[in-house]
Amino acid sequence: MFTWLRKTVFAAALAASVAPAFAQAPPPVPALPDTERRTSYSLSGSTCACAVGFALYGDSTDYANWLEVWVNGTLVPQSGNWTITSPSSADLSRLPRPITDAVLTFTSAQTGTVQIVGARRPRRTSQFAENRGVAARDLNQVITDIVAMLRENWDKTNDVTGRAVLAPPGETLAVLASAASRASQGACFDAGGNLVSCVSVPGSTFTAGNGISLTGTGPTTITNNIQGSGPITITGTNPLLIGCPTCNTAPAGTTTAIFLASRATAATLDLHTYSVVRTGGYAAGGDGGGATFKNVASASFLDSGIAGGNLTAPGSSYTNGTYYGVRLRAGLANSDSSLSGFSA
């Protein structure tokens, strides 16, 4: 009887020790959703502690090879910046795959848009044992892991949110130049539609030159600061029009020489501050044609010719061979008091 009792107690103890093993059987491998393996959050001064949002099939604990983490469009390296944990176990290596409750936590608080992206590095560090059957769960885990990696690559290259430079079907893109050749260069397309390096991109901050101002970030607005100084005017926006509506009509007192369209125009202006006046030729009937005039102070202005007789007569200030093209003829031209003091 005692022997039977001992056997009964031993069997009960054995059953009790085996029961937890059956209770800890891994859950079934879930189907892979037909969605992008990416989760996005908007943070404001937070370390996140956010659910990854999709199942992780990576082996070991090197989760930097399972995921990419982006903050405001910038890839954030894992080392020292973020960690992956699970409330199911402090040791990720002991958890059955896939891990469905992974949590991302930043080392320091972040503000902006955070994106968690599947980026499993393909590898297979173990194989099924030979000469035995393979459990359905094991097959599901391996096959779903492979399909998950295919989906991550597909998300990057083929869907509407693809993140690679691709040509349309039927076209090809040439291989890029070496990194040394394209470093600090802009990206352009050549005559064949291939991506090539082109204009050099400055490696330092842009600095506004004279007449230019830079405002804002993302985008930065380049604004000109060009102003007209009399008699020059700047009008319009696109294009800018640079004009001089008063040029050749209103003399400036500090100028020593001026060009006017005609003698008729010159006759309407006060030109006493100028040393030399040049008039255009025959802009209109009766304007007297073009000539160059020199200010001779109090002497009278002789309009059309040199008086006959004494070549140094008052008003001419003429020395033979000095003013070419001014014909000598008898008689005086009409005198214009507004141009007095100039001689041709």
Side-chain angles (χ1 to χ4, degrees):
M1 179 176 179
F2 288 105
T3 301
W4 176 87
L5 181 60
R6 285 197 299 271
K7 289 181 179 180
T8 301
V9 172
F10 177 76
L14 180 62
S17 65
V18 172
F22 286 103
Q24 295 176 3
V29 176
L32 187 70
D34 186 12
T35 57
E36 189 174 1
R37 287 174 61 78
R38 176 174 63 91
T39 306
S40 181
Y41 294 96
S42 180
L43 303 183
S44 179
S46 170
T47 58
C48 198
C50 307
V52 168
F54 48 87
L56 301 179
Y57 290 84
D59 55 359
S60 188
T61 59
D62 57 340
Y63 45 79
N65 294 313
W66 308 348
L67 297 169
E68 291 177 348
V69 176
W70 299 72
V71 177
N72 295 325
T74 300
L75 180 63
V76 179
Q78 183 277 319
S79 180
N81 294 306
W82 52 269
T83 59
I84 295 294
T85 57
S86 169
S88 299
S89 175
D91 185 357
L92 296 180
S93 66
R94 299 179 64 87
L95 290 175
R97 296 314 191 250
I99 302 173
T100 58
D101 58 357
V103 175
L104 168 74
T105 304
F106 286 101
T107 304
S108 58
Q110 304 292 321
T111 297
T113 300
V114 173
Q115 297 193 82
I116 308 169
V117 184
R120 166 109 150 94
R121 186 181 71 191
R123 63 185 177 188
R124 184 161 173 78
T125 58
S126 63
Q127 298 283 60
F128 296 128
E130 301 288 342
N131 301 317
R132 73 169 181 85
V134 180
R137 190 190 189 285
D138 294 342
L139 286 175
N140 285 336
Q141 177 182 329
V142 170
I143 293 172
T144 308
D145 182 16
I146 295 172
V147 175
M149 287 186 284
L150 291 173
R151 178 58 191 247
E152 290 168 358
N153 288 332
W154 189 87
D155 288 340
K156 290 181 180 180
T157 59
N158 292 292
D159 69 348
V160 294
T161 60
R163 302 185 296 277
V165 177
L166 299 173
E171 296 184 8
T172 58
L173 289 174
V175 176
L176 292 176
S178 66
S181 298
R182 67 178 188 270
S184 300
Q185 301 291 306
C188 295
F189 291 95
D190 64 12
N194 291 306
L195 190 61
V196 296
S197 54
C198 52
V199 180
S200 176
V201 177
S204 59
T205 303
F206 285 100
T207 301
N210 294 334
I212 301 296
S213 62
L214 303 178
T215 57
T217 54
T220 298
T221 301
I222 303 175
T223 306
N224 70 64
N225 187 23
I226 302 173
Q227 299 180 1
S229 177
I232 304 301
T233 61
I234 307 294
T235 58
T237 54
N238 188 16
L240 291 176
L241 300 177
I242 303 175
C244 182
T246 60
C247 288
N248 297 334
T249 59
T254 58
T255 305
T256 60
I258 189 172
F259 175 82
L260 298 172
S262 68
R263 297 191 194 191
T265 300
T268 66
L269 302 174
D270 178 4
L271 304 173
H272 77 279
T273 59
Y274 292 92
S275 298
V276 176
V277 175
R278 173 69 180 171
T279 60
Y282 301 105
D287 66 6
T292 300
F293 301 90
K294 178 181 179 182
N295 192 335
V296 291
S298 60
S300 298
F301 169 69
L302 302 181
D303 190 2
S304 57
I306 300 299
N310 188 349
L311 294 180
T312 59
S316 69
S317 297
Y318 180 80
T319 302
N320 194 25
T322 301
Y323 296 93
Y324 294 104
V326 179
R327 65 189 182 281
L328 177 65
R329 73 178 188 181
L332 296 178
N334 295 328
S335 177
D336 189 333
S337 62
S338 66
L339 295 178
S340 62
F342 283 85
S343 67

